């Protein structure tokens, strides 16, 4: 089960208790660039998950006891190795999930290293003030909780995986990670990296496999103590039901259908450029502002400028530095995106740009698409598509913009473009979302809370929120004069 991908050796077996472990069955990782199989990967199930959870439980007994400084040092060593391997990780990830190579090199892989550095440093200053109540001293401690199960999707595989793995390890949990079957390869490289960093056996484990097999076995496992899931709403419901009998605390980061509100007083160039950015990663971004709401007075100017700019987007092989967007992840996902667009057209909506596969490129490339004025109940306006498909509507007043923005089951993010600071604050306060950007997009600081409202998720991670989730937070009370000599 060894393959070479872009010149990099990949071991597609699981990583359990510090050893490579095989499975009787395997699956092919297929590249979205040309739909060719590029590596064989082990297809784990119940038995491999049991083995990994046992290894993680055993390792937990010593991992939970080592000092914070030692734990942080391991995480920094992992970050050092990731930094030294940015190129290797970037070329493999691009071949495996079809996201831009230039983004992996310059943004995503450095952020992967940052995930480890940040939580290592945060761990060292993690504190909660003691306080006295009628002379009794109250103290809060962050106790490691046990084995954390982590399940993540394919749209930014290593970044999203490590954004959970790093805080879990920092919190003193041991980890069983189930990577996405549509882009599983960098998880195998991460196992190599943790071994090279000297992480004790069993502290970090990878079970490769399909969601309905390995993922399902992990989510119902009675011995996991935390479950962090990033992915779609239907899978979240299945996982929540599977984990319910064990009363495992859940952290869910799910889909979105976020509003992108453009007021007439905005900087139009900035608004148009930022709106075009919602096509990034071929629309496969949970945070995308896919519902563009434009104030009536500037609607025509905005649409003209948007279309002029959208026509310059270069779609192509994500390994080409000149490409702006690449393919969809897989044939089933491509067909799903196409289905949404075809049904919208069938219902009488006309795309003003795009509207179908990019026939010049073939394969899984879908053209950046924009629909104008879908009715409020249109499927294309209500469902997360996770492709390069945006809708644009207009509004007459601030109140109407807020109503339209909040008319969704989701609540992950929102973008507001305005030149009026008071309005920005007023509207932000009324948008139901975990994250609101004013005159910007995708600016993230790991100290901040991250998560969504409604169907976009349960809980928050980032900074202290991550430790609140992965740790058993304990309050201890010390009585005054309670000590006997
Ligand atoms: P998905 O739900 O199909 O799969 C996500 C993960 O769950 C994969 O690892 C998969 O193997 C696993 N899985 C599938 N079925 C399972 C089951 N029955 N039991 C346990 N695990 C199972 O999602 P996807 O298509 O891979 O990813 C796209 C979705 O992820 C979109 O909805 C997107 O918005 C969301 N997402 C959210 C965030 C966020 O931070 N909020 C970030 C990225 C992606």
């Amino acid at each position: 089960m060894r393959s070479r991908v872009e010149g990099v050796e990949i071991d597609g077996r699981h990583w359990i208790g510090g050893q490579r472990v095989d499975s009787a069955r395997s699956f092919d990782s297929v590249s979205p660039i040309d739909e060719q199989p590029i590596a064989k990967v082990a297809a784990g199930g119940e038995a491999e998950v049991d083995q990994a959870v046992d290894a993680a439980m055993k390792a937990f007994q010593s991992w939970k006891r080592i000092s914070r400084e030692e734990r942080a040092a391991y995480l920094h060593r992992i970050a050092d190795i990731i930094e030294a391997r940015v190129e290797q990780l970037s070329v493999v990830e691009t071949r495996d999930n079809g996201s831009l190579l230039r983004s992996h090199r310059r943004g995503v892989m450095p952020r992967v290293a940052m995930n480890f550095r940040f939580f290592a440093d945060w761990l060292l200053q993690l504190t909660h003030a003691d306080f006295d109540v009628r002379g009794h001293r109250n103290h809060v401690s962050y106790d490691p909780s046990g084995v954390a199960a982590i399940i993540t999707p394919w749209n930014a595989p290593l970044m999203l995986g490590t954004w959970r793995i790093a805080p879990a390890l920092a919190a003193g949990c041991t980890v069983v990670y189930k990577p996405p079957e549509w882009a599983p390869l960098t998880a195998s490289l991460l196992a190599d990296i943790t071994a090279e960093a000297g992480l004790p056996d069993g502290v970090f484990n990878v079970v490769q496999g399909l969601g309905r097999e390995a993922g399902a076995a992990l989510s119902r496992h009675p011995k996991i103590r935390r479950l962090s899931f990033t992915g779609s709403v239907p899978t979240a419901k299945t996982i929540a039901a599977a984990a319910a009998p064990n009363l495992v605390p859940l952290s869910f980061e799910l889909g979105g259908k976020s509003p992108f509100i453009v007021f007439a007083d905005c900087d139009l160039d900035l608004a148009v450029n930022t709106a075009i950015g919602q096509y990034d990663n071929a629309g496969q971004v949970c945070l995308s502002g896919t519902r563009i709401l434009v104030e009536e007075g500037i609607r025509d100017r905005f649409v003209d400028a948007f279309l002029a700019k959208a026509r310059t987007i270069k779609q192509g092989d994500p390994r080409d530095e000149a490409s702006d967007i690449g393919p969809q992840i897989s044939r089933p996902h491509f067909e799903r995106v196409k289905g949404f667009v075809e049904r919208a057209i069938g219902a009488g909506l006309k795309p003003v740009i795009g509207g179908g596969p990019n026939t010049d490129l073939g394969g899984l490339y879908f053209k950046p698409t924009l629909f104008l004025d879908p009715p409020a109940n249109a499927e294309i306006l209500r469902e997360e598509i996770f492709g390069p498909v945006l809708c644009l509507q207009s509004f007459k007043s601030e109140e109407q913009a807020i109503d339209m923005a909040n008319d969704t089951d989701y609540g992950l993010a929102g973008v507001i473009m305005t030149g009026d600071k008071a309005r920005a604050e007023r509207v932000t306060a009324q948008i139901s979302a975990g994250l609101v950007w004013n005159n910007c997009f995708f600016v993230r600081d790991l100290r901040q809370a991250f998560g969504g409202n409604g169907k976009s998720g349960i809980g928050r991670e980032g900074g202290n929120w991550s430790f609140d989730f992965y740790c058993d937070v304990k309050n201890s009370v010390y009585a005054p004069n309670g000590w006997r000599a």
Side-chain angles (χ1 to χ4, degrees):
M1 220 155 315
R2 284 167 197 277
S3 320
R4 279 191 92 72
V5 176
E6 305 286 303
V8 180
E9 176 100 7
I10 310 273
D11 191 326
R13 292 174 295 173
H14 315 290
W15 176 250
I16 299 176
Q19 311 238 313
R20 288 288 172 187
V21 172
D22 221 334
S23 277
R25 291 176 306 120
S26 65
F27 65 97
D28 287 328
S29 185
V30 174
S31 174
I33 299 173
D34 50 12
E35 295 185 83
Q36 290 304 305
I38 53 171
K40 283 246 171 280
V41 181
E46 190 110 39
E48 293 84 348
V49 166
D50 276 348
Q51 207 183 332
V53 173
D54 284 350
M57 283 183 69
K58 189 163 167 241
F60 179 65
Q61 296 313 318
S62 42
W63 183 246
K64 70 177 178 187
R65 288 202 177 85
I66 69 168
S67 69
R68 287 183 177 198
E69 288 71 18
E70 274 179 277
R71 248 187 269 154
Y74 278 116
L75 267 62
H76 276 298
R77 275 208 289 284
I78 294 171
D80 291 342
I81 302 169
I82 291 168
E83 277 167 1
R85 294 201 192 163
V86 161
E87 183 60 20
Q88 203 182 63
L89 293 165
S90 298
V91 294
V92 171
E93 194 88 294
T94 291
R95 186 76 171 113
D96 206 21
N97 91 328
S99 298
L100 292 186
L101 182 55
R102 67 166 199 239
S103 308
H104 283 147
R105 281 180 175 143
R106 288 172 213 152
V108 178
M109 294 307 163
R111 160 71 194 276
V112 169
M114 175 55 77
N115 285 340
F116 286 95
R117 288 211 195 287
F118 170 80
F119 285 106
D121 291 341
W122 197 261
L123 167 67
L124 297 182
Q125 56 90 65
L126 183 67
T127 174
H128 189 286
D130 287 1
F131 57 93
D132 280 358
V133 179
R134 292 181 298 279
H136 292 70
R137 185 165 63 85
N138 284 253
H139 173 74
V140 168
S141 55
Y142 291 83
D143 297 351
S145 62
V147 178
I150 293 173
I151 303 177
T152 54
W154 43 261
N155 58 323
L158 195 59
M159 196 282 282
L160 291 170
T162 55
W163 150 242
R164 305 306 190 298
I165 293 163
L169 294 177
C173 292
T174 51
V175 168
V176 178
Y177 177 43
K178 208 303 274 168
E181 59 266 49
W182 293 106
L185 301 185
T186 47
S188 276
L189 295 177
L190 181 64
D192 296 339
I193 289 169
T194 58
E196 193 179 324
L199 200 68
D201 293 349
V203 170
F204 174 63
N205 305 275
V206 179
V207 178
Q208 295 281 14
L210 308 185
R212 62 178 183 273
E213 297 175 357
L218 185 56
S219 19
R220 66 172 174 259
H221 203 288
K223 291 181 180 161
I224 58 170
R225 288 287 172 265
R226 294 292 184 273
L227 200 167
S228 175
F229 168 72
T230 309
S232 64
V233 171
T235 307
K237 290 181 183 176
T238 308
I239 290 180
N246 304 318
L247 293 179
V248 176
L250 303 170
S251 170
F252 277 0
E253 294 194 355
L254 311 176
K257 194 75 187 177
S258 300
F260 185 105
I261 312 173
V262 184
F263 286 100
D265 59 15
C266 73
D267 173 334
L268 192 65
D269 277 352
L270 179 66
V272 168
N273 286 330
T274 312
I276 290 288
Q278 311 307 304
Y279 286 130
D280 280 359
N281 208 22
Q284 303 167 129
V285 176
C286 55
L287 297 161
S288 282
T290 47
R291 294 183 296 130
I292 304 177
L293 309 173
V294 185
E295 192 163 356
E296 233 169 45
I298 58 159
R299 177 197 159 108
D300 291 348
R301 277 198 298 142
F302 181 91
V303 171
D304 289 348
F306 181 93
L307 292 180
K309 185 90 190 164
R311 289 192 184 98
T312 69
I313 293 174
K314 186 171 178 324
Q315 191 163 27
D317 190 319
R319 293 169 294 191
D320 181 347
E321 280 273 326
S323 295
D324 297 316
I325 65 169
Q328 303 307 120
I329 182 73
S330 65
R331 179 59 57 181
H333 186 63
F334 174 87
E335 293 299 336
R336 184 174 175 276
V337 171
K338 192 158 147 273
F340 276 116
V341 171
E342 285 171 354
R343 287 193 295 280
I345 293 171
L349 292 170
K350 282 202 182 65
V352 281
I353 191 165
N358 188 331
T359 45
D360 294 343
L361 297 169
L364 303 180
Y365 293 84
F366 199 92
K367 285 185 191 161
T369 296
L370 178 70
F371 285 99
L372 297 183
D373 304 314
N377 62 354
E379 180 194 50
I380 202 122
L381 192 64
R382 305 212 71 86
E383 298 290 326
E384 184 189 48
I385 297 165
F386 223 52
V389 181
L390 304 177
C391 295
L392 188 146
Q393 300 167 283
S394 40
F395 62 85
K396 287 187 170 57
S397 66
E398 197 175 294
E399 293 69 33
Q400 192 188 8
I402 292 164
D403 286 348
M404 291 167 82
N406 287 336
D407 185 14
T408 172
D409 295 335
Y410 293 100
L412 190 57
V415 183
I416 301 166
M417 308 300 295
T418 176
D420 179 342
K421 187 160 176 283
R423 164 177 274 161
E425 288 171 0
R426 222 170 32 235
V427 177
T428 298
Q430 294 180 77
I431 298 292
S432 172
L435 217 171
V436 179
W437 282 292
N438 283 284
N439 292 332
C440 58
F441 180 61
F442 230 77
V443 183
R444 282 270 292 117
D445 186 297
L446 302 190
R447 287 171 293 191
Q448 300 299 336
F450 184 84
N453 302 348
K455 279 194 185 162
S456 290
I458 298 176
R460 296 291 183 269
E461 294 199 38
N464 269 12
W465 289 275
S466 293
F467 289 91
D468 287 347
F469 175 67
Y470 291 107
C471 291
D472 285 329
V473 179
K474 181 194 286 166
N475 182 40
S476 348
V477 185
Y478 296 89
N481 311 317
W483 307 111
R484 301 274 179 271

